[in-house]
């Protein structure tokens, strides 16, 4: 039986990061809304309660019946999760004068407690809460404090919810061990997941490929499957995985909506041919451009492109009369965002959903449990070309959401040329990294050899996502060859991230930016100014639309 950790999501921005940290410990986990704890938890070895934007005192605060698992399974409460445990079991949670946000140090740590095994005193942690725990429940013990927070961590190693129950360990921390700023956070999570919950650590790319191929063979049999390819990492890995399982019974459809990167349609089709995939390429750019003419609203653009894609894909898929399955490259974060417990839509997602019901196809999502970095590991396990695996995420609507204003073939041409210069520049510019920077790049799976404590990688491999935005509604004054020009500015965007839920702008070298700016202005007709976006997410998003 597959072991798993359940993470109950109370709405924290870092819930997915908890999941990724657990997966990095070669342990399967499932993120569920706070009120969706499974009826059958026979395969669950531990439960983690996430943070939340709410206070436990808010009338609308999310609450869960702790008796469903506490006392039977090891439990770790993080931030709001810790406060909810204390509040529910008779402790005290109170408002403080100001929010406690940012770096803090654990001045006192009980290293004899299994949660803090191997910890150093004065370890840096990350706080983010408005309330604080001022009293812990009976039979619980303080195991960690900071200068300002007495009960930064507390536990009961044999907690029971009632008579006759053997009891199970409960731990609670008011800081966030999942974030990078909590220096020994990974160790804390390892202590909980591996040492306390008893994970066998048997979740890996190799085991995933072996298990999934077997499951796909059993699920699909000799049926024919249609897969919509985008040229990105997720759909490409899904296609190769399915091809390994069912071979020629897989037919892939790659729709060119005219807003891909420069020469991308041709290049990707060649890549797929090398991989031995059966791919039908459809150039539908004229239809998309016609339907987008004059449209400036970003959400409307997405809806038109989504609708047209379905129509084009549907028309092509209907030609494969014996198909019974529709495969998609949906990954775990897509599904988690689609189940957003706040119910608020920030933007529509292109890769969650399906084709019209009249197609009468069953849905197959072989990557539905994987995070992006896990998808890349699976791609390497399948021996796919590295340039396909390391491709940056690219929006489904393509360059349409990187052109502010209406879409025309000429504007797409301008953006494609500028983007091509920028991306090639990122790939060609090499940097040497050491220490924590090198560790993060290697942890992401980028192949690089360590020499004298350093690795050499491209800027492209250091960055999560990069692209150019065309400010087509703006004309900027410039001077070229003693003549005044009124042409468009473009903005370069590059961010570092681990999961795209949060992102920081990449600190690109000045000489690189100077070279790229000069090349774009000199070579791309229609551009006379280059800017660099230094906004982080939040409050900004990675894409501009």
């Amino acid at each position: 039986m597959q072991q798993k950790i359940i993470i109950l999501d109370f709405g924290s921005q870092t819930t997915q990061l908890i999941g990724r940290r657990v997966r990095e410990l070669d342990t399967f986990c499932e993120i569920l809304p706070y009120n969706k704890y499974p009826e059958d938890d026979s395969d669950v070895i531990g439960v983690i309660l996430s943070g939340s934007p709410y206070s436990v005192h808010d009338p609308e605060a999310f609450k869960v019946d702790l008796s469903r698992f506490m006392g039977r399974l090891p439990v770790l409460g993080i931030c709001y999760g810790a406060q909810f445990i204390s509040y529910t079991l008779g402790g005290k949670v109170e408002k403080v004068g100001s929010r406690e946000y940012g770096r803090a140090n654990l001045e006192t740590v009980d290293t004899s407690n299994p949660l803090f095994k191997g910890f150093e005193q004065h370890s840096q942690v990350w706080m983010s809460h408005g309330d604080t725990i001022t009293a812990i429940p009976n039979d619980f013990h303080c195991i960690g404090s900071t200068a300002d927070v007495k009960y930064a961590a507390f536990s009961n190693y044999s907690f029971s919810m009632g008579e006759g129950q053997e009891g199970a360990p409960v731990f609670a921390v008011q800081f966030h061990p999942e974030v990078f700023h909590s220096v020994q956070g990974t160790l804390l999570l390892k202590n909980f997941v591996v040492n306390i919950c008893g994970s066998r650590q048997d979740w890996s790319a190799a085991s995933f490929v072996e298990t999934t191929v077997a499951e796909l063979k059993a699920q699909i049999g000799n049926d024919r499957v249609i897969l919509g390819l985008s040229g990105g990492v997720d759909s490409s890995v899904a296609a190769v995985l399915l091809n390994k399982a069912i071979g020629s019974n897989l037919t892939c459809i790659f729709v060119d909506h005219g807003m891909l990167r420069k020469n991308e349609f041709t290049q990707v089709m060649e890549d797929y041919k090398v991989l031995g995939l059966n791919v039908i390429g459809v150039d539908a750019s004229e239809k998309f451009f016609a339907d987008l003419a004059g449209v400036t609203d970003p959400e409307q653009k997405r809806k038109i492109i989504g609708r047209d894609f379905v129509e084009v894909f549907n028309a092509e898929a209907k030609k494969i009369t014996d198909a019974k399955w529709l495969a998609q490259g949906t990954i775990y974060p897509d599904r988690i965002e689609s189940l957003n417990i706040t119910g608020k839509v920030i933007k529509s997602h292109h890769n969650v959903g399906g084709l019209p019901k009249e197609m009468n196809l069953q849905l197959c999502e072989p990557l539905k449990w994987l995070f992006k970095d896990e998808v890349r590991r699976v791609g390497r396990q399948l021996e796919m070309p590295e340039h396909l695996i390391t491709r940056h995420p690219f929006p489904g609507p393509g360059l349409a959401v990187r052109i502010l204003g209406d879409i025309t073939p000429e504007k797409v041409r301008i953006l494609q040329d500028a983007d091509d210069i920028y991306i090639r520049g990122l790939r060609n510019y090499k940097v040497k990294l050491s220490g924590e920077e090198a560790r993060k790049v290697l942890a992401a799976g980028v192949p690089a050899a360590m020499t004298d404590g350093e690795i050499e990688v491209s800027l492209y491999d250091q960055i999560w996502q990069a692209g150019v935005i065309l400010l087509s509604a703006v004309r900027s004054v410039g001077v070229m060859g003693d003549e005044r020009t009124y042409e468009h500015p473009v903005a370069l965007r590059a961010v570092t991230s681990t999961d795209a839920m949060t992102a920081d702008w990449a600190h690109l070298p000045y000489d690189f930016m100077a070279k790229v700016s000069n090349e774009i202005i000199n070579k791309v007709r229609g551009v006379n100014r280059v800017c660099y976006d230094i906004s982080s997410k939040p409050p900004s998003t990675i894409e501009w639309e």
Side-chain angles (χ1 to χ4, degrees):
M1 182 182 292
Q2 171 86 61
Q3 294 179 322
K4 69 179 174 185
I5 297 287
I6 290 292
I7 301 168
L8 292 182
D9 182 14
F10 290 86
S12 170
Q13 290 188 17
T14 60
T15 300
Q16 283 197 41
L17 194 51
I18 301 172
R20 288 190 67 259
R21 294 288 179 259
V22 173
R23 295 281 184 89
E24 287 170 2
L25 296 168
D26 299 324
T27 303
F28 182 68
C29 67
E30 188 173 353
I31 298 173
L32 297 173
Y34 70 99
N35 57 353
K36 299 293 184 182
Y37 187 80
E39 292 296 329
D40 179 7
D41 64 357
S42 56
D43 54 352
V44 179
I45 60 172
V47 180
I48 298 176
L49 310 182
S50 83
S52 174
Y54 292 118
S55 160
V56 294
H57 299 292
D58 291 342
E60 66 271 33
F62 300 135
K63 295 179 171 61
V64 64
D65 180 4
L66 296 176
S67 66
R68 295 194 60 190
F69 46 83
M70 193 174 284
R72 293 190 302 107
L73 295 166
V75 174
L76 172 63
I78 295 175
C79 197
Y80 175 90
Q83 294 173 357
F84 181 74
I85 290 171
S86 179
Y87 176 79
T88 304
L89 299 181
K92 191 177 290 185
V93 179
E94 297 181 298
K95 295 285 184 186
V96 293
S98 60
R99 281 175 53 85
E100 292 165 316
Y101 182 85
R103 293 174 177 83
N105 289 314
L106 290 174
E107 303 293 342
T108 307
V109 180
D110 181 2
T111 54
S112 67
N113 188 281
L115 189 68
F116 287 126
K117 180 182 178 181
F119 253 64
E120 298 175 358
Q121 297 291 340
H122 308 292
S123 181
Q124 179 183 286
V125 295
W126 185 264
M127 293 284 190
S128 178
H129 57 96
D131 295 347
T132 196
I133 298 167
T134 56
I136 56 178
N138 293 334
D139 300 323
F140 279 75
H141 305 282
C142 179
I143 57 173
S145 304
T146 70
D148 299 316
V149 180
K150 180 178 180 180
Y151 301 112
F154 58 97
S155 74
N156 180 332
Y157 200 63
S158 185
F159 178 80
S160 172
M161 290 292 285
E163 292 185 14
Q165 195 178 60
E166 291 186 9
V170 177
F171 305 91
V173 295
Q174 287 204 79
F175 55 88
H176 287 271
E178 70 274 20
V179 303
F180 172 71
H181 305 292
S182 291
V183 175
Q184 292 185 280
T186 299
L187 176 59
L188 184 150
L189 290 172
K190 182 180 180 182
N191 285 338
F192 178 73
V193 170
V194 179
N195 299 340
I196 295 167
C197 296
S199 167
R200 294 189 296 263
Q201 294 187 280
D202 53 6
W203 172 261
S204 66
S207 67
F208 175 84
V209 170
E210 181 182 356
T211 302
T212 304
V213 167
E215 289 175 350
L216 288 170
K217 286 179 177 178
Q219 178 188 32
I220 295 168
N222 292 320
D223 295 346
R224 186 170 292 281
V225 180
I226 302 171
L227 176 103
L229 287 171
S230 68
V233 180
D234 304 333
S235 66
S236 299
V237 172
V240 174
L241 194 60
L242 275 160
N243 192 52
K244 185 178 179 67
I246 63 172
S248 61
N249 281 346
L250 172 68
T251 300
C252 303
I253 299 173
F254 182 26
V255 177
D256 181 7
H257 50 40
M259 287 153 284
L260 299 173
R261 284 183 162 137
K262 187 173 183 177
N263 300 324
E264 186 169 28
F265 184 70
T266 302
Q267 291 168 357
V268 170
M269 287 295 289
E270 289 174 357
D271 284 331
Y272 288 151
K273 186 176 181 180
V274 171
L275 290 170
L277 298 177
N278 176 26
V279 183
I280 298 170
V282 184
D283 181 357
S285 53
E286 285 189 15
K287 174 179 174 57
F288 283 87
F289 281 125
D291 291 348
L292 285 167
V295 178
T296 59
D297 179 75
E299 190 65 13
Q300 194 63 23
K301 289 181 193 176
R302 288 177 179 270
K303 288 179 178 177
I304 290 170
I305 291 169
R307 181 201 68 202
D308 283 5
F309 176 84
V310 167
E311 289 179 6
V312 174
F313 189 99
N314 191 16
E316 204 61 43
K318 281 182 176 178
K319 299 174 185 177
I320 307 169
T321 55
D322 57 344
K324 293 184 179 179
W325 295 86
L326 168 70
Q328 293 186 158
T330 309
I331 65 173
Y332 199 30
D334 298 329
R335 299 167 61 228
I336 297 171
E337 287 186 303
S338 298
L339 296 172
N340 191 306
I341 58 180
T342 66
K344 297 176 181 176
V345 175
I346 297 174
K347 66 179 180 181
S348 15
H349 292 272
H350 66 277
N351 48 357
V352 178
L355 293 177
K357 291 181 180 178
E358 61 265 21
M359 286 194 70
N360 197 30
L361 296 176
Q362 300 177 73
L363 192 61
C364 174
E365 298 174 306
L367 306 181
K368 65 182 180 181
W369 292 111
L370 300 186
F371 289 99
K372 178 72 78 174
D373 55 334
E374 292 176 312
V375 175
R376 292 193 168 107
R377 290 191 191 105
V378 168
R380 292 188 177 97
Q381 184 68 30
L382 293 167
E383 299 182 339
M384 291 173 60
E386 191 65 26
H387 70 272
L388 274 180
I389 296 169
T390 57
R391 281 172 64 91
H392 287 175
F394 189 63
L399 300 179
V401 292
R402 293 182 179 175
I403 296 174
L404 304 194
D406 66 320
I407 310 298
T408 67
E410 174 61 11
K411 290 178 181 178
V412 171
R413 191 275 308 164
I414 292 172
L415 187 51
Q416 284 178 332
D417 288 348
D419 181 82
D420 184 58
I421 291 170
Y422 184 37
I423 298 301
R424 280 193 293 103
L426 289 170
R427 288 188 181 278
N428 293 336
Y429 193 100
K430 305 297 182 182
V431 291
K432 290 186 176 180
L433 304 176
S434 60
E436 190 58 35
E437 285 186 322
R439 187 196 69 79
K440 285 195 290 184
V441 170
L442 292 173
V446 175
M450 182 78 75
T451 305
D452 297 329
E454 288 186 330
I455 62 172
E456 184 176 77
V457 295
S458 70
L459 278 178
Y460 186 90
D461 287 335
Q462 263 195 290
I463 290 165
W464 171 269
Q465 190 169 343
V468 180
I469 297 89
L470 176 64
L471 310 182
S472 66
V474 177
R475 288 201 177 266
S476 167
V477 66
V479 176
M480 291 184 178
D482 296 327
E483 291 184 4
R484 186 177 294 272
T485 62
Y486 287 96
E487 295 183 336
H488 300 297
V490 296
L492 309 183
R493 181 74 159 140
V495 298
T496 56
S497 180
T498 54
D499 53 13
M501 294 302 290
T502 61
D504 196 11
W505 60 278
H507 296 221
L508 300 179
Y510 287 161
D511 62 326
F512 166 79
M513 289 198 288
K515 183 177 184 298
V516 165
S517 172
N518 187 60
E519 190 172 352
I520 289 174
I521 290 172
N522 284 336
K523 293 183 177 180
V524 181
R525 189 179 71 257
V527 175
N528 67 354
R529 190 178 299 270
V530 175
C531 309
Y532 188 57
D533 183 350
I534 59 170
S535 312
S536 295
K537 176 187 179 181
S540 301
T541 55
I542 295 176
E543 299 295 342
W544 279 39
E545 289 192 341

